[in-house]
Amino acid sequence: MKADPTMMERQGRDRSSSSRITNISNTSNKTAAAAQPRRRPSRPHQQQQQQQQQLRHASPITITITIVMATAASVALALALVLSIAVPSAAAPQRTTSTTTTSYPLTFIFGPWLNTGEQPTDVDSPAQWNKRTGRNAPAFQLRMSVPAWSGEPQVLQVADWDDGTDAAVFMTVYADSPAYVWPTEADLTVMAQKLQNISTSTGRTVYLRYLPEMDGSWMNYGAQPTELVANWKIMASVVRSVAPDVQIVWSPNFDVQNRGGAAFWPGEENVDWVGTSQYWKSSQMGYPGNAPVTAGYFAKEIDYVYQNFAVVYNKPFVLSEASYAWEEALQGNFTDTVSWVDAQKEYWRQVFDTASSGAYPLFKMAYVFEYKKIEDSMYRDFRVSWNSAVLDGFQTTLESLIAAGNLATAGDWIAQKVLVVVVRRPRRLRSTSSSTAVPTTSAPVSTKSAAAGPRWAGWKELFATVALVAVSVSAVVLA
């Protein structure tokens, strides 16, 4: 079959036209592409967008872990900072012994010395005292002997106290063994171990009133200043080493100036508190019966010990034992010129007003001798809580302290210890060969925190490490 020339010519023109159109299109695309600048991908920008997208889509678990770790880091850093301020570093030079002072409560401590078994009648206990007075005493006093011996009065041991509080222990220690007068270093070590065990096992603050009224000839160790000072220094060395939490109380009779005064002072580095005993005994003052306490009597009687030892050496002051001695004849009657209620009320009013007056700012603690016993061929009743009328009158004498918010109760000790350690931090002193005393503050400051330095030394580093780990974990989780 012959091809149609006209048809072939038309097909050729169509193919030629299609080819020209294709070439024009390709040329146009190449020209447009060449006219546009070449773009490079922005990798940092892309990475930032990816990180933001990851954070927006982070799981709740990741967010929670990050928050917890950041909080842990903040708490750990805060604890490390507090410890670095409050607790001396184990490697830091310690204060010289001449600057040793002690902590004292921020409020006034008043407690009783109870008959918890020393006498067979009217046996008492901390819980009974708290119930009678309607207030939890912040401290109680009791006694022990060094060395211990078979005839030692048996009293209620601290482990058996029934108060259920954190009340402090004011331990009066006598050297009253008939075998020998002065305790040996071995005796003192046993004593210190007992006191430290009380502190660690019960959590109570412990005071050691060692060989009280040492100036008096009525004590078998009394009126021997040279021997007393030598033995005291041994005791202090043992206690500082074996029982670092125990505070040492030096407590002569109120009129020690009549028997040698400073000759009995064992050195400020061996004493934490200064104290004294003080009573009103009408018969010893020439009265035919119980007489009212004279105006200004109490402050005058404590002034020598307070000014010459507490003030001079910047030590807190404690009235170690005190009361009005209500005297009763074994036979017959005395000629009284005051009632029992008014006698006790006036005596303790003077005590607490002195503590509140501001004239004796180092006066921080007092103990009533809550006993009735035979002395000088008569009954003397020192108690303030066994007769309801006497107790009511006594309670009113506390008003000056209560009104000032200055009377402590059991339970205050934890807060007081923290405030003493943190707020009243002593200045650190460099080691020096000079024996000159350098006061660390204008008021007594805790040695307990210094003694506890080794115990806490590793905690600062531990908290700092915890903070570092917490921050690292947070970074890993976020990454």
Side-chain angles (χ1 to χ4, degrees):
M1 185 175 181
K2 288 181 69 175
D4 185 354
T6 305
M7 178 64 68
M8 292 177 62
E9 183 179 357
R10 185 183 298 120
Q11 289 177 351
R13 286 195 304 267
D14 292 341
R15 283 195 297 267
S16 177
S17 175
S18 176
S19 177
R20 284 194 304 269
I21 293 172
T22 302
N23 290 338
I24 292 171
S25 177
N26 290 339
T27 301
S28 176
N29 290 339
K30 289 179 181 182
T31 303
Q36 293 181 357
R38 299 182 63 185
R39 295 180 181 176
R40 295 181 181 179
S42 178
R43 293 183 180 179
H45 180 71
Q46 292 176 354
Q47 291 175 353
Q48 184 177 2
Q49 288 181 335
Q50 290 174 356
Q51 290 175 353
Q52 292 176 351
Q53 189 173 9
Q54 288 175 356
L55 287 175
R56 286 195 298 269
H57 295 285
S59 67
I61 295 178
T62 300
I63 295 174
T64 301
I65 293 175
T66 303
I67 294 174
V68 169
M69 289 298 100
T71 303
S74 301
V75 172
L77 284 173
L79 290 172
L81 177 61
V82 169
L83 287 176
S84 66
I85 295 174
V87 180
S89 173
Q94 295 297 310
R95 287 178 289 172
T96 59
T97 55
S98 63
T99 64
T100 301
T101 51
T102 187
S103 65
Y104 62 92
L106 303 181
T107 50
F108 191 85
I109 300 301
F110 174 75
W113 185 352
L114 301 176
N115 170 31
T116 60
E118 185 174 356
Q119 295 182 351
T121 58
D122 296 337
V123 177
D124 209 347
S125 75
Q128 292 179 49
W129 166 273
N130 289 345
K131 182 177 180 180
R132 289 195 303 271
T133 61
R135 181 181 292 105
N136 289 336
F140 294 94
Q141 185 170 177
L142 74 163
R143 59 151 295 157
M144 65 181 291
S145 297
V146 58
W149 59 291
S150 58
E152 177 183 353
Q154 299 302 303
V155 298
L156 185 67
Q157 299 302 302
V158 177
D160 299 321
W161 282 7
D162 55 359
D163 58 315
T165 72
D166 63 345
V169 178
F170 194 86
M171 184 69 77
T172 291
V173 175
Y174 297 100
D176 54 359
S177 168
Y180 52 91
V181 174
W182 300 106
T184 66
E185 185 172 351
D187 297 330
L188 294 169
T189 300
V190 172
M191 175 201 72
Q193 290 171 340
K194 289 180 180 179
L195 297 177
Q196 184 61 29
N197 181 62
I198 291 173
S199 176
T200 55
S201 64
T202 67
R204 299 177 187 262
T205 300
V206 177
Y207 300 89
L208 165 60
R209 182 190 178 215
Y210 186 66
L211 305 187
E213 301 176 2
M214 70 289 291
D215 55 305
S217 58
W218 55 89
M219 298 294 187
N220 61 338
Y221 51 80
Q224 304 172 64
T226 302
E227 294 83 353
L228 180 281
V229 169
N231 184 260
W232 190 286
K233 290 179 179 180
I234 297 172
M235 176 276 298
S237 176
V238 170
V239 170
R240 301 292 193 216
S241 174
V242 177
D245 294 335
V246 173
Q247 300 183 37
I248 300 173
V249 181
W250 180 78
S251 183
N253 211 46
F254 72 96
D255 56 352
V256 63
Q257 68 270 27
N258 298 330
R259 305 183 189 91
F264 293 93
W265 178 247
E268 63 175 312
E269 68 275 12
N270 300 313
V271 174
D272 296 319
W273 284 69
V274 169
T276 194
S277 305
Q278 206 290 314
Y279 293 92
W280 174 281
K281 298 178 180 179
S282 298
S283 61
Q284 291 185 357
M285 304 180 72
Y287 294 101
N290 294 293
V293 179
T294 56
Y297 167 78
F298 175 75
K300 177 175 66 69
E301 294 295 278
I302 68 166
D303 195 68
Y304 175 82
V305 175
Y306 181 89
Q307 299 295 346
N308 289 276
F309 299 100
V311 172
V312 168
Y313 298 106
N314 195 29
K315 306 289 183 180
F317 180 81
V318 52
L319 183 61
S320 302
E321 55 179 275
S323 196
Y324 185 105
W326 183 256
E327 297 175 338
E328 300 172 359
L330 296 178
Q331 294 181 346
N333 295 303
F334 288 141
T335 304
D336 300 330
T337 57
V338 68
S339 70
W340 189 10
V341 173
D342 290 339
Q344 287 286 19
K345 184 176 179 179
E346 175 59 20
Y347 179 86
W348 287 104
R349 184 196 64 77
Q350 290 194 21
V351 171
F352 297 132
D353 283 358
T354 300
S356 303
S357 67
Y360 293 83
L362 295 174
F363 185 15
K364 293 294 179 180
M365 194 183 316
Y367 291 88
V368 57
F369 187 65
E370 193 76 353
Y371 277 74
K372 179 180 180 179
K373 63 180 184 176
I374 297 177
E375 284 185 346
D376 300 333
S377 301
M378 68 181 72
Y379 285 113
R380 285 196 174 119
D381 197 337
F382 302 91
R383 300 172 300 179
V384 298
S385 71
W386 282 69
N387 178 285
S388 59
V390 172
L391 176 59
D392 289 344
F394 166 76
Q395 297 277 46
T396 65
T397 67
L398 296 170
E399 291 176 356
S400 60
L401 291 171
I402 295 174
N406 196 31
L407 183 64
T409 59
D412 293 342
W413 284 96
I414 294 176
Q416 288 168 4
K417 288 175 188 174
V418 171
L419 288 172
V420 168
V421 170
V422 176
V423 177
R424 304 194 62 81
R425 181 192 177 211
R427 297 192 189 103
R428 305 286 297 152
L429 300 179
R430 294 184 179 180
S431 299
T432 175
S433 58
S434 172
S435 60
T436 304
V438 181
T440 56
T441 64
S442 60
V445 186
S446 176
T447 52
K448 191 167 184 177
S449 63
R455 177 190 302 176
W456 288 95
W459 287 94
K460 293 179 288 186
E461 291 77 7
L462 175 60
F463 288 135
T465 302
V466 169
L468 180 61
V469 170
V471 172
S472 300
V473 171
S474 299
V476 170
V477 171
L478 289 175

